[in-house]
Amino acid sequence: QLADDRRGPDQVAVAGGLLAVTTRHVVHAALWLVVALLGVAGSLLVLGAELVALVLVLVYVGAVVVLVLFALMLTRAPIGPDLAHRVGPARTAGAALLGGAVAVLLGSVLLPLAGDPVQRADVTSTQVALHGAEHDLPSRGDALVIHLAGPYLLAAVLVGLGVFGIAVRRNAVLLLIGVELVLSGSLVLLVTTQAASGDRWAAGSILPLFVITIAAAEVVVALAVVLAAFRQRERIDLDEPSGEAP
């Protein structure tokens, strides 16, 4: 059996997500989101969801992040720090408390579900067709022992970071980065739940693909609304009243 060493992708995802929701450089925030999504994709690979990881990279990194960068250019986002959408320390502290509370609450619910480590073997679809369920296969070969506490904790932290980003951002485009982190945490949670079942060919491997598709469509619609609002108001400040901009 092979040991489970998945701390690297988890650390990359958490570090990228933290920098994406805290940096004042709007372009840097989108690029840090790419780093976070690549870390999430690495974690999904360890869990055995290769197809979900590939679709995540192709759809999010190859399309959604490009759309976010395009929207930032169309909304005349500054190259340097975004000083026009600064928030006070009270709002930052409140958003941090909210995000931390969500992460702790979600982690306290998910960590007891981790249970014993599970084994993931490299099994082809042909073997599954010939021998039925994966646990009925005659030979599993070298198995990777996966401790599910790590993925559950990663999902809780990503959701907490996303909630913090949603609560603290005034820029409508940057708020979507927080939404993407929440959706990434939900993907990790879905794949981890499917891995805990021990059947990598269950219907649970299809549900994350629907989540990715719906999330991508949601981002496109949201960016279209933001750009339409920018054309009318010349600003995308969420704290600004709904009337005409001064």
Side-chain angles (χ1 to χ4, degrees):
Q1 293 180 352
L2 303 178
D4 172 22
D5 185 9
R6 59 184 320 279
R7 292 175 296 176
D10 289 356
Q11 292 173 352
V12 171
V14 172
L18 180 61
L19 292 172
V21 297
T22 55
T23 181
R24 292 184 178 179
H25 293 72
V26 292
V27 177
H28 291 180
L31 296 179
W32 282 121
L33 177 62
V34 173
V35 175
L37 293 177
L38 291 177
V40 171
S43 298
L44 297 181
L45 284 175
V46 176
L47 290 171
E50 294 87 355
L51 179 60
V52 178
L54 177 62
V55 174
L56 178 67
V57 172
L58 292 178
V59 174
Y60 276 88
V61 180
V64 172
V65 176
V66 174
L67 286 177
V68 171
L69 292 173
F70 188 65
L72 289 174
M73 290 188 294
L74 291 180
T75 55
R76 303 169 191 172
I79 298 178
D82 187 10
L83 302 179
H85 298 98
R86 288 181 297 179
V87 297
R91 178 166 176 173
T92 303
L97 288 176
L98 178 61
V102 170
V104 171
L105 179 61
L106 191 58
S108 63
V109 173
L110 295 177
L111 287 180
L113 302 178
D116 298 328
V118 298
Q119 295 181 2
R120 179 206 142 193
D122 292 328
V123 182
T124 65
S125 57
T126 303
Q127 290 175 304
V128 173
L130 292 176
H131 300 283
E134 184 178 345
H135 61 271
D136 294 331
L137 293 174
S139 177
R140 297 176 60 95
D142 291 333
L144 178 65
V145 179
I146 302 175
H147 299 274
L148 297 181
Y152 281 135
L153 184 60
L154 174 62
V157 172
L158 288 177
V159 172
L161 290 175
V163 171
F164 169 78
I166 294 172
V168 79
R169 292 297 194 184
R170 292 173 53 190
N171 188 312
V173 178
L174 295 185
L175 181 141
L176 293 177
I177 293 179
V179 175
E180 296 306 312
L181 289 177
V182 173
L183 294 174
S184 299
S186 67
L187 283 177
V188 175
L189 178 58
L190 287 174
V191 174
T192 305
T193 304
Q194 180 253 334
S197 67
D199 185 6
R200 65 180 296 195
W201 302 101
S205 61
I206 304 299
L207 183 58
L209 299 179
F210 284 100
V211 174
I212 293 176
T213 304
I214 295 173
E218 166 261 329
V219 170
V220 173
V221 174
L223 289 176
V225 172
V226 170
L227 292 177
F230 178 78
R231 292 181 60 184
Q232 293 184 354
R233 304 169 57 186
E234 296 295 326
R235 296 186 65 183
I236 52 175
D237 193 341
L238 295 174
D239 289 350
E240 186 180 280
S242 58
E244 293 293 332

